[in-house]
Amino acid sequence: MNGKWSYPFTAIYGQEKAKKAILLALINPKIGGVLLAGDKGTAKSTLVRGILPLLEESASLIELPLNATKEQILGGINFEHVLKTGKRKVQHGLLARAHGKILYIDEVNLLSNGVANILMNVKETKKIKIESEGISFDYYSDFLLIGTMNPEEGMLSSKFLDRFGLYVHVKGETDIQLRKKIIESRLAYERDKEGFCKQQQRQLADLQNHIQQAKRLLAKLSVQEEIERFAAEITLQACCEGHRADLLLIETAKAMAALNQEKTLSIVHIQEAAEFVLPHRIRDVNNQQQKESSKDESFQTEIENNQTEMESIKEPFHAEQINKNGEFEQESIIKESVEAPHELIDLSLIEPFVQKSSIRKEGNGKRTRTITSKKIGRYIKSKLPIGKPSDIAFDATIRVAARYQKVRKSNGNFIVIHSSDLRQKVREKRTGNLILFLVDASGSMGVKKRMSIVKSAILSLLQEAYQKRDKVGLITFSNDESKVLLEPTRSIELANKELAEIPTGGNTPLALGLETALNKIRLINYKEPDYAPFLVLITDGRANSMKSADNQWKAAITICDEIQSQKIKSMVIDTETGFIQLGLAKELAKELGASYCKMEDIRSDSIVKAITSS
């Protein structure tokens, strides 16, 4: 990367926290990496490219393009050498060049899953092994990983996030005078890039010397036992998984002390380091405590409801009563007022990258990755064509043909390609989701709380539905009918209006609800086939209506099998409580091939996270 006249690091006003994170990583490579996440136009890329003059000659900046293929990243056969000599020769990939240097990925959240998995594995093992096309070799690759991203375009998986030692959320500056300085500085740079950069040479040289002094000081720093204990206590309180956060806290604190030219590591350095190390690793501290405290509170409630549970098992029509004339008398339907949550979930902080859709979709969106047959999208790999190839992968085709050039007649051609050599591109793009909630609104316990959680999850998903091209809808089933309360939409205003009051009470026509959801998905797929459907079923699995309970259950299982056969992704949230539990919702999840969780273990933000990571 040629950064001779890149905008100088020392000329950037504001963004002090982001600048400090980068300097800490340069001082102590054991930190492993830095992730700068924030809105567009906040100088994230400028900050990274501006460090070029600060680097030693041996430590350059290698940029990984988003469209890089597996062969370009890892390496393979040097087919140019094969064409000339007929002999195989290894060609190392981009990660080999990045060894001992800085690997920079702009818009790292847009990397394909395959490339992201490669980077995670290499960061963990620091070793690459290639076995392909008759060759076998391995090499080491240890690099400092720096990534920038805009959370509006989607988040990284928690595993990939954990590979970045430090995390900084970058925001635009709000001070008027500072914004004015930024404008003046940028205009001066645009007028005369060379002159502007030369004016910063002294500041850059001073900062480079400061980094070198800090590195020497870092090697002399020792860590006392009380510091180690304090670091462990912080990560334990933050509910961090594993022990990577503990080690990174120490390494970052050491770099912090060295940056400040301090010879002794203190608790203050650990506290400041935590602001960089923990934001993307911290788990909900109160969640586990709430679970533990709620056990004692719910114990007495379960005892009181135990008799009710026993009666509901014996009597399938638990939502009905028989009057004195021996006729069925249904419970009255109540319109529950469902309040909007006080705070919507910040999806940018919790949403990991989604997995690939199992159904081929050709639409546009940013939520779900899917294989596409159109000649658009990222080229991720090659394959043998079925029939006549329409999107030829020239690199893969030439690699295959190169092995046979020595035995083929050239007839004056530089390379001879046979039809058997042809390979076709496999492309990947993103499409929007149709997220459909199917909720039991019968007169079972906790229905109001259930509806509040569902509404919170819907509104949170709709907050970014425009960017992700998603649609969210709600179907409820109760009192022998199933209603579409919210047609699939992207509008928060419409959702607030339609979900202000939700009818609840009555019995539980489970099969009817499933049938309504399936028909709605079919209709949407017919009208707008670009959407990838996702069904969220919230129920205890009991089927109680005027019809036979056995027939209801069998009908529900039949529809579940049909939903799974159409490869509709789904999840089941079990609302069953009490000592005696039938586990019917778990059986439904099995029939649907769905993910499964208990309502008591999940909140609205957890629902959103589960949906976006499924």
Side-chain angles (χ1 to χ4, degrees):
M1 177 184 289
N2 182 11
K4 186 176 182 180
W5 308 124
S6 295
Y7 194 89
F9 188 87
T10 52
I12 296 174
Y13 290 98
Q15 305 302 356
E16 298 304 323
K17 193 170 182 180
K19 288 192 283 190
K20 181 174 282 190
I22 292 174
L23 292 175
L24 293 173
L26 293 179
I27 292 168
N28 189 356
K30 289 183 179 179
I31 287 172
V34 178
L35 178 61
L36 305 180
D39 300 332
K40 54 183 177 290
T42 50
K44 301 185 297 295
S45 300
T46 305
L47 275 168
V48 178
R49 295 189 172 101
I51 66 174
L52 279 168
L54 302 176
L55 303 178
E56 300 174 10
E57 292 183 7
S58 60
S60 58
L61 191 68
I62 307 295
E63 187 163 0
L64 189 152
L66 292 178
N67 60 352
T69 63
K70 180 180 177 181
E71 289 79 11
Q72 291 172 325
I73 294 171
L74 296 177
I77 290 180
N78 186 330
F79 58 84
E80 183 178 353
H81 182 80
V82 174
L83 290 173
K84 290 180 178 179
T85 66
K87 297 179 181 179
R88 292 179 182 144
K89 181 181 178 182
V90 170
Q91 178 170 293
H92 287 76
L94 186 145
L95 292 184
R97 292 192 287 117
H99 181 58
K101 299 179 176 62
I102 298 172
L103 182 67
Y104 171 51
I105 311 172
D106 191 19
E107 296 182 316
V108 62
N109 52 330
L110 300 184
L111 279 179
S112 67
N113 285 340
V115 174
N117 289 334
I118 289 171
L119 290 175
M120 283 191 288
N121 183 59
V122 174
K123 281 296 291 179
E124 187 70 26
T125 63
K126 306 187 188 317
K127 187 176 181 180
I128 296 171
K129 184 173 180 63
I130 302 295
E131 292 183 350
S132 175
E133 298 170 341
I135 61 172
S136 177
F137 65 97
D138 55 60
Y139 59 88
Y140 288 95
S141 181
D142 188 10
F143 49 84
L144 179 66
L145 180 63
I146 299 182
T148 56
M149 58 174 277
N150 183 350
E152 286 184 357
E153 301 289 336
M155 281 296 289
L156 298 174
S157 68
S158 58
K159 289 183 179 179
F160 199 3
L161 273 173
D162 197 41
R163 295 301 185 270
F164 291 93
L166 310 181
Y167 175 95
V168 178
H169 185 64
V170 184
K171 298 180 181 179
E173 299 295 342
T174 56
D175 182 83
I176 296 296
Q177 293 302 318
L178 187 56
R179 292 177 74 97
K180 181 174 176 289
K181 286 182 179 180
I182 292 171
I183 295 172
E184 292 172 348
S185 180
R186 188 70 199 190
L187 290 176
Y189 171 74
E190 295 296 340
R191 283 194 299 267
D192 181 9
K193 292 183 179 180
E194 182 178 352
F196 185 88
C197 292
K198 286 182 176 179
Q199 288 179 1
Q200 294 289 323
Q201 284 182 347
R202 166 163 287 197
Q203 291 93 319
L204 286 168
D206 290 343
L207 183 56
Q208 189 178 36
N209 290 333
H210 189 84
I211 292 171
Q212 296 305 316
Q213 290 174 10
K215 285 184 175 182
R216 290 191 289 271
L217 187 58
L218 178 75
K220 300 176 182 179
L221 281 171
S222 60
V223 183
Q224 297 177 345
E225 186 177 344
E226 63 179 30
I227 300 295
E228 294 175 347
R229 181 179 181 83
F230 183 65
E233 287 176 353
I234 289 180
T235 55
L236 191 60
Q237 290 174 11
C239 298
C240 296
E241 294 181 354
H243 303 283
R244 183 176 280 115
D246 304 58
L247 298 172
L248 285 170
L249 260 183
I250 296 295
E251 296 298 340
T252 306
K254 288 166 61 179
M256 195 82 67
L259 179 65
N260 297 337
Q261 300 292 296
E262 297 175 22
K263 299 179 180 180
T264 306
L265 193 61
S266 70
I267 288 177
V268 174
H269 297 131
I270 295 289
Q271 290 173 327
E272 191 174 354
E275 296 179 15
F276 297 89
V277 175
L278 300 185
H280 55 310
R281 294 184 173 87
I282 193 169
R283 298 296 180 265
D284 191 345
V285 180
N286 297 319
N287 190 30
Q288 189 64 32
Q289 295 175 349
Q290 288 174 357
K291 288 181 183 179
E292 294 296 326
S293 62
S294 65
K295 286 181 180 179
D296 295 333
E297 295 174 6
S298 62
F299 183 77
Q300 183 62 33
T301 304
E302 289 187 359
I303 293 175
E304 294 171 356
N305 293 330
N306 188 35
Q307 185 61 36
T308 305
E309 293 290 332
M310 288 292 292
E311 291 173 359
S312 68
I313 294 168
K314 294 177 183 178
E315 177 54 65
F317 302 105
H318 72 281
E320 302 166 339
Q321 295 178 348
I322 300 176
N323 63 21
K324 59 183 179 181
N325 296 322
E327 298 172 340
F328 285 108
E329 187 178 87
Q330 295 185 0
E331 286 185 358
S332 59
I333 303 301
I334 302 171
K335 280 198 172 183
E336 298 279 6
S337 176
V338 179
E339 296 182 1
H342 297 297
E343 288 187 20
L344 297 180
I345 300 109
D346 184 358
L347 301 183
S348 68
L349 297 178
I350 65 173
E351 183 194 0
F353 253 10
V354 295
Q355 299 173 0
K356 293 182 181 178
S357 170
S358 58
I359 307 175
R360 183 188 299 271
K361 295 287 178 181
E362 306 296 356
N364 294 319
K366 297 178 182 178
R367 175 80 69 186
T368 300
R369 286 198 179 96
T370 180
I371 301 300
T372 176
S373 58
K374 294 182 179 180
K375 294 181 181 180
I376 56 175
R378 184 181 292 118
Y379 166 37
I380 57 172
K381 61 181 180 180
S382 62
K383 68 174 183 178
L384 281 167
I386 300 175
K388 186 178 179 180
S390 58
D391 192 11
I392 296 176
F394 289 101
D395 57 337
T397 299
I398 293 173
R399 276 198 302 272
V400 174
R403 291 180 285 177
Y404 307 106
Q405 295 306 296
K406 201 170 184 179
V407 297
R408 291 178 181 174
K409 293 182 179 180
S410 66
N411 295 325
N413 295 318
F414 181 73
I415 182 171
V416 180
I417 297 177
H418 291 175
S419 59
S420 59
D421 304 328
L422 293 177
R423 296 295 183 269
Q424 184 168 310
K425 290 180 179 179
V426 177
R427 296 182 181 270
E428 180 185 81
K429 66 188 298 293
R430 289 175 180 246
T431 184
N433 277 346
L434 166 64
I435 303 168
L436 191 61
F437 286 83
L438 177 60
V439 186
D440 175 5
S442 65
S444 54
M445 292 175 293
V447 65
K448 186 171 182 179
K449 180 182 177 183
R450 185 189 317 155
M451 290 303 176
S452 178
I453 290 175
V454 169
K455 183 174 179 180
S456 177
I458 289 174
L459 294 179
S460 295
L461 287 165
L462 285 174
Q463 271 199 315
E464 58 173 35
Y466 179 77
Q467 289 91 354
K468 303 299 182 184
R469 305 295 190 268
D470 290 341
K471 286 190 175 182
V472 185
L474 172 64
I475 297 174
T476 62
F477 55 95
S478 64
N479 197 36
D480 283 325
E481 63 180 358
S482 180
K483 293 182 178 179
V484 181
L485 289 188
L486 179 66
E487 288 286 349
T489 181
R490 294 189 192 130
S491 170
I492 294 180
E493 292 77 12
L494 180 61
N496 265 318
K497 179 182 176 182
E498 297 296 330
L499 303 181
E501 291 185 342
I502 299 178
T504 60
N507 49 38
T508 315
L510 175 62
L512 182 60
L514 288 165
E515 185 178 10
T516 304
L518 179 57
N519 289 337
K520 176 56 67 174
I521 290 173
R522 282 173 171 166
L523 181 62
I524 295 291
N525 278 342
Y526 178 76
K527 291 181 177 180
E528 303 175 88
D530 297 341
Y531 284 94
F534 190 97
L535 178 64
V536 184
L537 174 59
I538 302 179
T539 179
D540 60 6
R542 297 182 184 179
N544 306 298
S545 72
M546 297 294 291
K547 300 179 181 180
S548 165
D550 290 338
N551 291 338
Q552 279 280 294
W553 177 253
K554 290 177 182 177
I557 293 298
T558 300
I559 299 171
C560 285
D561 292 340
E562 192 170 353
I563 291 172
Q564 186 182 21
S565 69
Q566 295 192 24
K567 297 182 179 179
I568 297 171
K569 296 177 72 176
S570 57
M571 69 180 295
V572 175
I573 300 175
D574 189 355
T575 63
E576 189 173 39
T577 58
F579 283 132
I580 300 175
Q581 299 187 11
L582 302 181
L584 299 176
K586 185 173 284 189
E587 289 188 39
L588 288 174
K590 185 178 179 181
E591 293 295 331
L592 286 167
S595 55
Y596 169 86
C597 59
K598 297 282 288 184
M599 175 64 88
E600 62 199 44
D601 297 329
I602 201 164
R603 301 169 305 154
S604 55
D605 56 343
S606 303
I607 293 174
V608 172
K609 186 174 182 179
I611 290 170
T612 55
S613 63
S614 297

